């Protein structure tokens, strides 16, 4: 355990060097790592299957890799079952033997395959050796996590308002368009037959959650787009990091984004939604935002980059 904590602290420090605000270290980072490891290795009731492998060189642990079986969100069909995900809290010491990264990756992939994963995902933040290993093993970018850490206080655009229950049907309609674009980009996002009612129920529930802001543009009868600014979760941030000042935008769509290749109708409305989410974060004391975006949704990537966002993490896929 002490050696693993040491390696995972070095790992966290590499991420912090990429962006000190986004990957802020927790004041008690070693204790948080120990707590997470103890639960993962010893708790009988786990929220998902996870796997930890270490590289042992003559009794000295020189590397660690963390993987899990990723539950399929209820709005997606998941025809290939739960994918396996290699998480970013994986690290190899500088003095590790040549090939350690590749050996750890192979061990994690074998464990995920035995657990039933027909598709594998790998997340990458820092460490050129991991990027090289993923590329060599056949992983290709699937999802970008673009971040911005200078949200400031621009104020709420007048064209954007907080969502109400009357907006739920319009949000679901725009979400259906969003899901279709995702599926057209990559069949990985196969749509569940009950996606609309399931998403509607979740949006209705989300309206009651006080930790997020749901915002829309347009009248309820002709909604143009929606965005949800919510707190970060541990799925994307290892336990060494303090996520209290970080927000995540996953549910975000505007009709201007309907063509994934280009912003044919401009980006005024979609940009206003994004500024509204940033203002909502700023009002909550959140200084860094992460937006989840498919790697091949060029028009959305263009909009985000023009707003000052840069890729902070990549999820890649191996079929």
């Amino acid at each position: 355990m002490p050696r693993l904590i040491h390696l995972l602290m070095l790992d966290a420090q590499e991420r912090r060097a990429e962006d000190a605000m986004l990957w802020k270290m927790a004041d008690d980072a070693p204790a948080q790592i120990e707590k997470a490891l103890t639960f993962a290795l010893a708790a009988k009731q786990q929220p998902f299957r996870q796997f930890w492998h270490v590289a042992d060189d003559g009794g000295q642990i020189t590397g660690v890799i963390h993987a899990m079986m990723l539950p399929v969100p209820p709005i997606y069909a998941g025809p290939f079952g739960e994918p396996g995900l290699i998480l970013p809290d994986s690290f190899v010491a500088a003095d590790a033997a040549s090939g350690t990264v590749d050996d750890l990756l192979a061990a994690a992939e074998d464990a995920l395959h035995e657990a039933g994963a027909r598709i594998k995902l790998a997340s990458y933040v820092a460490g050129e050796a991991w990027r090289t290993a993923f590329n060599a093993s056949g992983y290709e970018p699937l999802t970008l996590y673009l971040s911005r850490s200078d949200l400031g206080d621009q104020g709420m655009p007048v064209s954007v308002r907080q969502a109400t229950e009357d907006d739920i049907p319009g949000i679901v309609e725009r979400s259906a368009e969003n899901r279709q674009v995702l599926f057209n980009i990559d069949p990985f996002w196969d749509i569940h037959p009950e996606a609309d009612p399931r998403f509607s129920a979740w949006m209705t529930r989300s309206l009651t959650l006080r930790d997020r802001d749901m915002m829309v543009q347009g009248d309820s009868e002709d909604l143009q787009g929606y965005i949800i600014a919510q707190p970060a979760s541990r799925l994307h941030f290892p336990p060494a990091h303090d996520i209290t000042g970080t927000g995540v935008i996953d549910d975000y769509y505007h009709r201007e984004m309907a063509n994934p290749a280009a912003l044919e109708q401009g980006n005024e409305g979609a940009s206003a939604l994004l500024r509204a989410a940033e203002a909502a974060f700023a009002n909550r004391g959140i200084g860094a935002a992460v937006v989840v975006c498919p790697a091949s949704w060029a028009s959305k990537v263009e909009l985000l980059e023009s707003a000052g966002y840069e890729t902070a993490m990549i999820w890649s896929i191996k079929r």
Side-chain angles (χ1 to χ4, degrees):
M1 185 70 76
R3 178 61 176 170
L4 287 177
I5 293 171
H6 173 70
L7 290 176
L8 292 174
M9 280 295 295
L10 294 175
D11 173 53
Q13 288 162 3
E14 277 198 356
R15 280 188 294 274
R16 183 180 61 178
E18 296 286 328
D19 187 327
M21 182 176 289
L22 179 64
W23 302 104
K24 180 182 177 182
M25 297 287 285
D27 292 338
D28 58 345
Q32 291 299 324
I33 293 173
E34 182 175 12
K35 179 181 177 181
L37 277 173
T38 301
F39 179 83
L41 299 175
K44 293 182 179 180
Q45 296 294 328
Q46 300 278 347
F48 45 78
R49 270 188 92 178
Q50 57 180 314
F51 310 90
W52 290 86
H53 290 82
V54 298
D56 187 330
D57 186 358
Q60 176 77 356
I61 294 176
T62 59
V64 57
I65 193 166
H66 184 197
M68 64 175 281
M69 296 296 290
L70 184 67
V72 178
I75 60 173
Y76 298 111
F80 303 105
E82 291 186 345
L85 170 64
I86 297 170
L87 292 148
D89 48 347
S90 303
F91 185 79
V92 169
D95 59 352
S98 176
T100 300
V101 169
D102 295 326
D103 291 344
L104 284 169
L105 177 56
E109 289 184 330
D110 287 346
L112 293 171
H113 180 75
E114 290 177 8
R118 295 171 60 189
I119 288 177
K120 299 176 183 67
L121 305 172
S123 54
Y124 167 82
V125 177
E128 191 60 33
W130 289 107
R131 181 199 294 269
T132 301
F134 291 145
N135 290 344
S137 188
Y139 288 84
E140 298 178 344
L142 176 71
T143 305
L144 305 180
Y145 293 78
L146 297 104
S147 72
R148 182 178 172 186
S149 301
D150 56 344
L151 301 184
D153 186 9
Q154 306 175 63
M156 187 69 64
V158 295
S159 63
V160 179
R161 58 181 175 81
Q162 292 289 332
T164 68
E165 193 169 349
D166 290 340
D167 296 314
I168 297 299
I171 292 175
V172 173
E173 189 175 348
R174 297 287 80 77
S175 175
E177 295 174 7
N178 179 59
R179 293 192 298 271
Q180 189 60 53
V181 173
L182 286 170
F183 177 72
N184 292 342
I185 288 175
D186 196 304
F188 173 79
W189 288 291
D190 195 9
I191 304 167
H192 195 281
E194 298 296 318
D196 279 358
R198 290 181 175 189
F199 190 72
S200 178
W202 174 239
M203 290 296 96
T204 302
R205 163 73 172 147
S206 294
L207 281 175
T208 69
L209 302 179
R210 302 174 67 91
D211 65 349
R212 64 201 61 199
D213 290 273
M214 296 175 57
M215 291 161 288
V216 297
Q217 188 179 63
D219 297 331
S220 297
E221 298 77 15
D222 187 28
L223 214 62
Q224 297 299 303
Y226 67 96
I227 194 166
I228 302 177
Q230 61 191 41
S233 73
R234 280 297 167 203
L235 176 62
H236 304 111
F237 293 82
H241 300 291
D242 178 358
I243 60 175
T244 57
T246 302
V248 171
I249 299 168
D250 191 356
D251 294 301
Y252 170 35
Y253 178 77
H254 193 281
R255 281 177 165 171
E256 293 168 349
M257 303 175 184
N259 180 358
L263 294 165
E264 297 177 330
Q265 305 175 49
N267 64 5
E268 183 177 347
S271 294
L273 279 174
L274 182 60
R275 292 196 304 274
E278 293 173 345
F281 282 144
N283 288 339
R284 291 177 178 270
I286 291 174
V290 174
V291 183
V292 184
C293 178
S296 297
W297 198 328
S299 58
K300 195 170 185 178
V301 172
E302 177 188 346
L303 183 150
L304 292 167
E305 289 181 342
S306 67
Y309 285 77
E310 297 180 349
T311 299
M313 179 166 58
I314 299 174
W315 279 26
S316 298
I317 187 169
K318 180 178 179 179
R319 305 174 201 274

